Amino acid sequence: MKKVLLAVLAAGVLTACTNNKQITDKDMKQTLELTQEWDKVFPLSEKVNHKKVTFETQYGLTLAADLYTPKDAEGKLSAIAVSGPFGATKEQSSGLYAMRMAERGFVTLAFDPSYTGESSGEPRRTASPDINTEDFMAAVDFLSKQENVDAEKIGIIGICGWGGIALNAAAAEPRIKATVASTMYDMTRVSGNGYYDSEDKEESRHAAREALAKQRLADPKAMAGGVIDPLPDDAPQFVKDYYDYYKTERGYHARSGNSNDGWRTIGTIGYCNARFLYYINEIRSAVMIMHGEKAHSRYFGEAAYKYMVEGKAEGYNYIGKPNPVPENKQLLIIPNASHCDLYDGGYTELVGKGEAKNMIPWDKLEDFFKTNLK
């Protein structure tokens, strides 16, 4: 009798688990209300086709994206997933990168990360090293299943804070065959150490943790971190550059956290206590780290490149082995370019006026991906 009872209970548990799985899988696929009209900060190219798409992550979130394909393309093509900057949307820099690379023959996907833009996730504008890395990996899943994509030829581009996330994804995901980190931030380093490691001490981190702990009880949904507005006269030049991109007609977008009220104040706690580039010295696939000569963030890219190749670098408190495949790693420093010049190419005057400086080396990006996605 006892055995029969156990068998019945086991069957009931199995049925419940099976039914629950079916319900969960169905519920995971959320329906998003996507804006269908063209609302990017750049005009649509006549050389590409564009459509809105969605895809799911393993965390049960549905991401919104723009899929760009070259017109009149035939057969299976190489593909590239693009995201960033940290706090931006696909209507800004990542969409421009995706569209320009589609003009050059790639299927491209610019997506809004989890909890941001048109993608799902509550509360809004929350970030996590593991969830954001999964965003890139889920984008690779989506591209791999497209009929016009060669699943063996997929790369990624991460811009600004998403440059570091792209490197982390490349270290975790061997299906990513080529990675570009453009004008990158290491979000875990700057979150824990401050700019230029000026707060790299236990006392500073402890004070920050105490403040965040109090914020969780006071108002966990409070927002902070959008580009400062109005802009102080004595703001550092890189802050002025951010303002000129995110707060003016050059790059403002209503769904962009950087253009508006920023992130949840406690929404990036995960980045403060993490160091997620530990294994980039083991990336075997091709990587190009691209930075402006005059970018305030240049030290992030140079240190990441050095650690990726040599297994040690300033700002990294650990030493690993040299990369087993250093020959396909590149550091590209673009003369006279600032951090935000690599968002859209830059302009000779404020608010996107004057002549375009064309600082983004599209030919080099095309050559890098065509060389390494073959």
Side-chain angles (χ1 to χ4, degrees), residues 29 54-57 67 76 79 107 137-152 154 175:
K29 297 185 178 181
T54 61
F55 57 95
E56 285 73 43
T57 77
L67 186 68
K76 290 185 176 293
V107 174
M137 296 164 81
V140 172
D141 293 340
F142 174 84
L143 288 171
S144 298
K145 298 172 185 177
Q146 302 309 300
E147 292 183 356
N148 59 342
V149 169
D150 185 335
E152 298 299 318
I154 296 177
R175 292 178 302 162

Side-chain angles (χ1 to χ4, degrees), residues 163-174:
I165 297 166
L167 293 179
N168 195 48
E173 178 54 85

Side-chain angles (χ1 to χ4, degrees), residues 155-211:
I156 62 175
I157 298 174
I159 306 161
C160 190
W162 276 78
I165 297 166
L167 293 179
N168 195 48
E173 178 54 85
R175 292 178 302 162
I176 298 171
K177 297 301 193 296
T179 301
V180 168
S182 177
T183 197
M184 71 161 280
Y185 265 50
D186 177 344
M187 292 304 299
T188 58
R189 181 176 174 182
V190 74
S191 296
N193 293 2
Y195 279 109
Y196 304 105
D197 301 316
S198 60
E199 298 298 325
D200 185 15
K201 47 193 174 185
E202 183 274 338
E203 295 85 357
S204 296
R205 282 187 283 270
H206 181 72
R209 290 165 186 151
E210 285 192 322

